[in-house]
Amino acid sequence: MALLKTFMPFAANHSPKTALRAWLAVFVLLLSGGLDLPAQTPATPEYQVKAVFLFNFAQFVEWPPEAFREAHSPVVIGVLGEDPFGSYLDETVRGEKVNNRPLVVQRYRRAEEIKTCHILFVSRSETERLEPIFAGLRGRNILTVGDAVGFAQRGGMIRFVTEKNKIRLRINLEAAKAASLMISSKLLRPAEIVAPGKD
Amino acid sequence: MPLKNTPIRRKLMTIILLTSGVVLSLTCVSFFAYEFLTFRQVTVQQLSTLGEIIAANSTAALAFDNQDDAKEVLAALKAEPHIVGACLYDKERRLFSKYPDILPADAFPAAPGEDGYRFESSHLVAFHPVVQGGKRLGTLYLKSDMEAMYERFRRYGGISILVIVLSFVVAYALSRALQKQISQPILALAETAKAISDRRDYSVRASKLGEDEFGLLTDAFNQMLTQIQAQNQALKESEERVRAVLNSALSAVLVIDANGKILDWNARAEAMFGWSRGEALGQDLTGTIIPPQYREAHRHGIERFLGTGEGAVVSRLVEMSALRRDGSEFPVELSVSPLKTGNVVTFCGFITDITERKQAEARLQAQLSRLELLSRITRAISERQDLPSIFQVIIRSLEDNLPIDFGCVCLYDPAAKVLTVTSVGVRSGVLAMELALTEQARVPIDQNGLSHCVRGQLVYEPDIIQVPFPFPQRLASGGLRSLVAAPLLVDGKVFGVLLAARRLAHSFNSADCEFLRQLSEQVALAAHQAQLYGTLQQAYDELRETQHTVMQQERLRALGQMASGIAHDINNAISPIALYTQSLLEREPNLSARARDYLVTIQGAIEDVAQTVAGMREFYRPREPQLTLAPVQLNHTISQVINLTRARWSDIPQERGIVIRLETDLPPDLPGIMAVENEIRDALTNLILNAVDAMPAGGVLTIRTRAISLPAPQNEQEPATHVCLEVCDTGVGMDEETRRRCLEPFFTTKGERGTGLGLAMVYGMVQRHTSEMEIESKPGAGTTIRLIFAVATPVTASAVWLPAQAPSRPLRVLIVDDDPLIIKSLRDTLESDGHKVTTADGGQAGINAFAASRQRGELFDVVVTDLGMPHVDGRSVAAAVKAASSATPVILLTGWGQRLLAEHDTPPHVDRILSKPPKLQELRAALAELAATSVEVKVL
């Protein structure tokens, strides 16, 4: 943080949090301007709900302490592949805090770009590459969420299933355990627990 | 029936039951309240716990929008039968899930209320937040039925009522049994009290039931009864006493009510008004004792007092009149006191019959006025000194104030037995004319009533018509009927009679007579005083006159002594001048006519000076008659003086237009008088000049003489003893002060013009001539000065001065004087006469010189010595000379000469005294005479 602060001429007089936010904004600008990111499309109502759910996961899942560098390190929500949320996800998490941690949204084109990440939404665009992605993330404390068919069976931890116009959860508890993530029993109550390989 | 009127038995039971009932009810109520509060608290706690659990379980359902799950969670509430409703609201405050599912959505609040618990009618309602990880996900609504609590309360209530009813029954039974302990003694006491008050028998006593407080109460009650019994007795006695007091009161005491009805009436009132108590009680006061003229005021007074609390006669002593039963009115003194007992006002009246007092007061008043009159008269008398005025005052006072119709004072002549009317009153004047009793009228005393009076008795004739004597009949003819004659007594002797008469018969009472008697005593005393005063005044006047004269003489004597001193010095001083002047005139034949003329003038002036000094020195002193007095024809002298002073009384005033007319009355056959003519002349001159000065505006100057005899002549043929000379003017006159001081030397009213010696010299002359001087003068009325001289006895004057010849032979003369000028002038003149003169300048020197000459054997023929010298005076010198040679004549030369003569003080050893300034002729004569004598002595 101290290092970052020295490179932030316009944030000298702001609180660390504000400074961080500003810094993130710059970063996002750099990313969107400097990199060839897929164009953001407006989220459908379905994805709006899913974005809220993503945020809610942060409250029902417990990460091991080593998943965070510091006590106030942000919870990073990553989106891999095509972003179906548009700006909605950013709006949803803006200003929110979970266990005193701010929430940050990051977008990745490839799995290799993922560095610090706690919740990773794997877009349907990555449906073909799920196995390699999961393999690459093995051992890392990242909650993988997706809505692709068979996502949970294929090694994802939580899948959004749309049933009777409602979004339901399907949780691969073993995958989560493997990533040392504790999913609250409360979350498990309304969800459907699946074993790998079955869908 | 209110509690305080219920019987004590019921009261006690009510109290016990009420107490136990209230205690039980309070216990139940507090128990219920406690239960209610605890139960509510517990219910809230239970609901809170339940809410907590449900909310925790609902988080995921809300977070992930899973209504099925929510329904499942809420369905668990089935286990709690008192939860009659529950629901979840999502983050957007929309109804998310409800329980029981069958209830319609409008059975739940449309939106969640505020977090917390509240009781609504018979339900407890809770809104519980659903929070996950610090994030609010929604709200849980729970509605709990309170039926359980009410069920419990119903059960408790039943038990409570049962207990209360049971307690009441027990309490009633107990109180019924126990109240007797308390109520019985009280009831017994009440019974006794009622019996006493019914029968008014205070000898009954209550019986005592125990030794507790009721026992004490019974004792106290019985004691009280004893006291009441004693008090009743005392009250009865007191009332009897009060009645007795009222009846024995000297005042009538009566009590009326506000309507004027008589309530009480004491014995004195019975006697005073003639109504008995029985008759008076219940009557209207107005009709009984109040005279008709006061009735209206009486009624009005009572009304006014009842209205305002004030009254004209209330609590005050008022004099008015009251009515007896027989209708007669009499004066009373009344005081009314309102008596207020409770709300009833009665009036107590104290009435005293003051008939006697009124009469006494009237008598006293009359006496006082007499006394006042007496004192007034006495005062008036004391301010007067002469009898007529005193009598006038008395009679006038009697006429005005006693009063009388006729009054006079007569003086009594015991020898002639006649009364002389001295003073008649102003009002009696007309009547006095009628009766021929005006002033100076004489009333003979015969055997009438006046004879008693002049023997010192007061005579009262109540009706003089009945008295057959002339004097009373004389008065009766003037219409007078009653007469009082009061004697005026001094030292037991009647000197007069005071007569007072009235037209009414029997009109003098004893007080009047007594008054007149006292008055006559006062008058007599005053008259006596007046006489005494007159005598005293006369004696005093004489004394003052004498004192005045003595003072006058004393003053003159002092002045004369001073004048003598001055004269002595002047005589010494002018002695050389006189001697030399004479010497020059005698011995210098070659003097020019002018020098001689001048010297003659000087000599004249010196003589004048000597004369003046002599006059000044001697003006006060009686002169030795044989020396100076000679028969003088006064008229002749007067004519001379008138001529001499004409300029002053005629010419000088006329220059200023003032005319003074001179009138003389000089009888030609006036006897001669013994006098010194030039002194008479001087005196007359002074008197004329004074008279002229006293008439600055002109007037008449009268000089007259006449022969008179003193004392008053017994018959006409006697020759006159004195001659009177009067000088009168019509000038300004003198006031008393001036008249008193006019004879004093140096006293003058003429300012710078006067010496103040004129009249003093006249007076000196008068003294020397043993004549008299009278001054009559009043301011503005002129002055008359009268000189009275004794007539000359037909004897020729003995003092004839024989001129002496100049001594034939030269003499050895020793001159002793302390004044060198005198020594020198004497030596010069005597030596010119051929005498051999030795001089000595002092007494001792003179004695020495004489002694020396004696030793030489050249005895002096004559010694001339001054009298006054320091250390050794002329007397000592003379004594020494005579001691040494008794035959040697001594001449004493003195400025005091006349005084020595006057005082018969010719010292021993002195043969001749000559006064200064010495006259050469006298000196020569003395020398010749004495030298001749001494020679004769020598020869013998």
Side-chain angles (χ1 to χ4, degrees), chain B residues 270-285:
Chain B
E270 288 179 338
M272 193 181 287
F273 298 108
W275 300 88
S276 74
R277 182 174 153 88
E279 287 166 335
L281 291 191
Q283 277 209 55
D284 194 348
L285 186 73

PDB file of all heavy atoms in Angstrom, chain B residues 270-285:
ATOM      1  N   GLU B 270     -85.688  49.724  90.560  1.00  0.00           N
ATOM      2  CA  GLU B 270     -87.057  49.714  91.094  1.00  0.00           C
ATOM      3  C   GLU B 270     -87.314  50.997  91.873  1.00  0.00           C
ATOM      4  O   GLU B 270     -88.319  51.680  91.667  1.00  0.00           O
ATOM      5  CB  GLU B 270     -87.231  48.511  92.041  1.00  0.00           C
ATOM      6  CG  GLU B 270     -87.274  47.176  91.311  1.00  0.00           C
ATOM      7  CD  GLU B 270     -87.410  45.996  92.272  1.00  0.00           C
ATOM      8  OE1 GLU B 270     -87.061  46.163  93.451  1.00  0.00           O
ATOM      9  OE2 GLU B 270     -87.861  44.939  91.817  1.00  0.00           O
ATOM     10  N   ALA B 271     -86.323  51.330  92.716  1.00  0.00           N
ATOM     11  CA  ALA B 271     -86.503  52.503  93.557  1.00  0.00           C
ATOM     12  C   ALA B 271     -86.478  53.783  92.733  1.00  0.00           C
ATOM     13  O   ALA B 271     -87.232  54.717  92.973  1.00  0.00           O
ATOM     14  CB  ALA B 271     -85.405  52.544  94.621  1.00  0.00           C
ATOM     15  N   MET B 272     -85.598  53.793  91.739  1.00  0.00           N
ATOM     16  CA  MET B 272     -85.372  55.023  90.983  1.00  0.00           C
ATOM     17  C   MET B 272     -86.555  55.348  90.080  1.00  0.00           C
ATOM     18  O   MET B 272     -86.975  56.495  89.979  1.00  0.00           O
ATOM     19  CB  MET B 272     -84.081  54.894  90.157  1.00  0.00           C
ATOM     20  CG  MET B 272     -83.595  56.214  89.590  1.00  0.00           C
ATOM     21  SD  MET B 272     -82.114  56.002  88.609  1.00  0.00           S
ATOM     22  CE  MET B 272     -80.897  55.693  89.842  1.00  0.00           C
ATOM     23  N   PHE B 273     -87.075  54.300  89.410  1.00  0.00           N
ATOM     24  CA  PHE B 273     -88.089  54.576  88.387  1.00  0.00           C
ATOM     25  C   PHE B 273     -89.511  54.256  88.860  1.00  0.00           C
ATOM     26  O   PHE B 273     -90.478  54.633  88.222  1.00  0.00           O
ATOM     27  CB  PHE B 273     -87.797  53.773  87.131  1.00  0.00           C
ATOM     28  CG  PHE B 273     -86.475  54.136  86.523  1.00  0.00           C
ATOM     29  CD1 PHE B 273     -85.397  53.271  86.596  1.00  0.00           C
ATOM     30  CD2 PHE B 273     -86.307  55.372  85.908  1.00  0.00           C
ATOM     31  CE1 PHE B 273     -84.188  53.612  86.059  1.00  0.00           C
ATOM     32  CE2 PHE B 273     -85.089  55.711  85.368  1.00  0.00           C
ATOM     33  CZ  PHE B 273     -84.033  54.847  85.445  1.00  0.00           C
ATOM     34  N   GLY B 274     -89.610  53.487  89.937  1.00  0.00           N
ATOM     35  CA  GLY B 274     -90.940  53.196  90.453  1.00  0.00           C
ATOM     36  C   GLY B 274     -91.598  51.976  89.834  1.00  0.00           C
ATOM     37  O   GLY B 274     -92.765  51.714  90.079  1.00  0.00           O
ATOM     38  N   TRP B 275     -90.871  51.268  89.001  1.00  0.00           N
ATOM     39  CA  TRP B 275     -91.381  50.008  88.443  1.00  0.00           C
ATOM     40  C   TRP B 275     -90.702  48.870  89.179  1.00  0.00           C
ATOM     41  O   TRP B 275     -89.488  48.877  89.317  1.00  0.00           O
ATOM     42  CB  TRP B 275     -91.052  49.879  86.954  1.00  0.00           C
ATOM     43  CG  TRP B 275     -91.615  50.961  86.073  1.00  0.00           C
ATOM     44  CD1 TRP B 275     -91.055  52.143  85.771  1.00  0.00           C
ATOM     45  CD2 TRP B 275     -92.857  50.914  85.378  1.00  0.00           C
ATOM     46  NE1 TRP B 275     -91.850  52.874  84.928  1.00  0.00           N
ATOM     47  CE2 TRP B 275     -92.988  52.129  84.668  1.00  0.00           C
ATOM     48  CE3 TRP B 275     -93.903  49.977  85.290  1.00  0.00           C
ATOM     49  CZ2 TRP B 275     -94.097  52.432  83.880  1.00  0.00           C
ATOM     50  CZ3 TRP B 275     -94.995  50.276  84.487  1.00  0.00           C
ATOM     51  CH2 TRP B 275     -95.102  51.505  83.807  1.00  0.00           C
ATOM     52  N   SER B 276     -91.500  47.875  89.629  1.00  0.00           N
ATOM     53  CA  SER B 276     -90.864  46.727  90.274  1.00  0.00           C
ATOM     54  C   SER B 276     -90.245  45.857  89.193  1.00  0.00           C
ATOM     55  O   SER B 276     -90.570  45.986  88.009  1.00  0.00           O
ATOM     56  CB  SER B 276     -91.886  45.912  91.066  1.00  0.00           C
ATOM     57  OG  SER B 276     -92.693  45.180  90.165  1.00  0.00           O
ATOM     58  N   ARG B 277     -89.361  44.982  89.636  1.00  0.00           N
ATOM     59  CA  ARG B 277     -88.667  44.105  88.688  1.00  0.00           C
ATOM     60  C   ARG B 277     -89.675  43.299  87.888  1.00  0.00           C
ATOM     61  O   ARG B 277     -89.591  43.182  86.671  1.00  0.00           O
ATOM     62  CB  ARG B 277     -87.730  43.187  89.487  1.00  0.00           C
ATOM     63  CG  ARG B 277     -86.895  42.242  88.644  1.00  0.00           C
ATOM     64  CD  ARG B 277     -85.914  41.490  89.534  1.00  0.00           C
ATOM     65  NE  ARG B 277     -85.572  40.204  88.946  1.00  0.00           N
ATOM     66  CZ  ARG B 277     -84.584  40.029  88.081  1.00  0.00           C
ATOM     67  NH1 ARG B 277     -83.838  41.049  87.721  1.00  0.00           N
ATOM     68  NH2 ARG B 277     -84.344  38.842  87.575  1.00  0.00           N
ATOM     69  N   GLY B 278     -90.632  42.761  88.591  1.00  0.00           N
ATOM     70  CA  GLY B 278     -91.652  41.938  87.941  1.00  0.00           C
ATOM     71  C   GLY B 278     -92.404  42.740  86.889  1.00  0.00           C
ATOM     72  O   GLY B 278     -92.675  42.246  85.795  1.00  0.00           O
ATOM     73  N   GLU B 279     -92.665  43.986  87.201  1.00  0.00           N
ATOM     74  CA  GLU B 279     -93.430  44.805  86.247  1.00  0.00           C
ATOM     75  C   GLU B 279     -92.566  45.202  85.058  1.00  0.00           C
ATOM     76  O   GLU B 279     -93.041  45.294  83.945  1.00  0.00           O
ATOM     77  CB  GLU B 279     -93.909  46.077  86.951  1.00  0.00           C
ATOM     78  CG  GLU B 279     -95.025  45.828  87.930  1.00  0.00           C
ATOM     79  CD  GLU B 279     -95.224  47.032  88.839  1.00  0.00           C
ATOM     80  OE1 GLU B 279     -94.249  47.822  89.042  1.00  0.00           O
ATOM     81  OE2 GLU B 279     -96.327  47.195  89.337  1.00  0.00           O
ATOM     82  N   ALA B 280     -91.332  45.432  85.351  1.00  0.00           N
ATOM     83  CA  ALA B 280     -90.456  45.977  84.303  1.00  0.00           C
ATOM     84  C   ALA B 280     -90.041  44.913  83.298  1.00  0.00           C
ATOM     85  O   ALA B 280     -89.982  45.180  82.093  1.00  0.00           O
ATOM     86  CB  ALA B 280     -89.205  46.593  84.949  1.00  0.00           C
ATOM     87  N   LEU B 281     -89.761  43.690  83.790  1.00  0.00           N
ATOM     88  CA  LEU B 281     -89.225  42.654  82.885  1.00  0.00           C
ATOM     89  C   LEU B 281     -90.204  42.422  81.744  1.00  0.00           C
ATOM     90  O   LEU B 281     -91.412  42.283  81.955  1.00  0.00           O
ATOM     91  CB  LEU B 281     -88.978  41.357  83.649  1.00  0.00           C
ATOM     92  CG  LEU B 281     -87.829  41.404  84.669  1.00  0.00           C
ATOM     93  CD1 LEU B 281     -87.500  40.012  85.161  1.00  0.00           C
ATOM     94  CD2 LEU B 281     -86.586  42.035  84.066  1.00  0.00           C
ATOM     95  N   GLY B 282     -89.654  42.386  80.541  1.00  0.00           N
ATOM     96  CA  GLY B 282     -90.474  42.106  79.372  1.00  0.00           C
ATOM     97  C   GLY B 282     -91.098  43.356  78.769  1.00  0.00           C
ATOM     98  O   GLY B 282     -91.567  43.338  77.649  1.00  0.00           O
ATOM     99  N   GLN B 283     -91.051  44.460  79.492  1.00  0.00           N
ATOM    100  CA  GLN B 283     -91.622  45.693  78.931  1.00  0.00           C
ATOM    101  C   GLN B 283     -90.654  46.323  77.937  1.00  0.00           C
ATOM    102  O   GLN B 283     -89.457  46.036  77.951  1.00  0.00           O
ATOM    103  CB  GLN B 283     -91.858  46.686  80.057  1.00  0.00           C
ATOM    104  CG  GLN B 283     -93.162  46.458  80.779  1.00  0.00           C
ATOM    105  CD  GLN B 283     -93.688  47.776  81.331  1.00  0.00           C
ATOM    106  OE1 GLN B 283     -93.849  48.718  80.572  1.00  0.00           O
ATOM    107  NE2 GLN B 283     -93.944  47.799  82.616  1.00  0.00           N
ATOM    108  N   ASP B 284     -91.209  47.216  77.155  1.00  0.00           N
ATOM    109  CA  ASP B 284     -90.352  47.978  76.241  1.00  0.00           C
ATOM    110  C   ASP B 284     -89.752  49.140  77.033  1.00  0.00           C
ATOM    111  O   ASP B 284     -90.463  49.856  77.732  1.00  0.00           O
ATOM    112  CB  ASP B 284     -91.210  48.516  75.082  1.00  0.00           C
ATOM    113  CG  ASP B 284     -90.317  49.015  73.959  1.00  0.00           C
ATOM    114  OD1 ASP B 284     -89.088  49.146  74.194  1.00  0.00           O
ATOM    115  OD2 ASP B 284     -90.833  49.254  72.858  1.00  0.00           O
ATOM    116  N   LEU B 285     -88.453  49.275  76.915  1.00  0.00           N
ATOM    117  CA  LEU B 285     -87.748  50.314  77.678  1.00  0.00           C
ATOM    118  C   LEU B 285     -88.275  51.697  77.300  1.00  0.00           C
ATOM    119  O   LEU B 285     -88.425  52.583  78.125  1.00  0.00           O
ATOM    120  CB  LEU B 285     -86.241  50.232  77.385  1.00  0.00           C
ATOM    121  CG  LEU B 285     -85.370  51.151  78.222  1.00  0.00           C
ATOM    122  CD1 LEU B 285     -85.285  50.631  79.634  1.00  0.00           C
ATOM    123  CD2 LEU B 285     -83.993  51.271  77.624  1.00  0.00           C
TER     124      LEU B 285
END
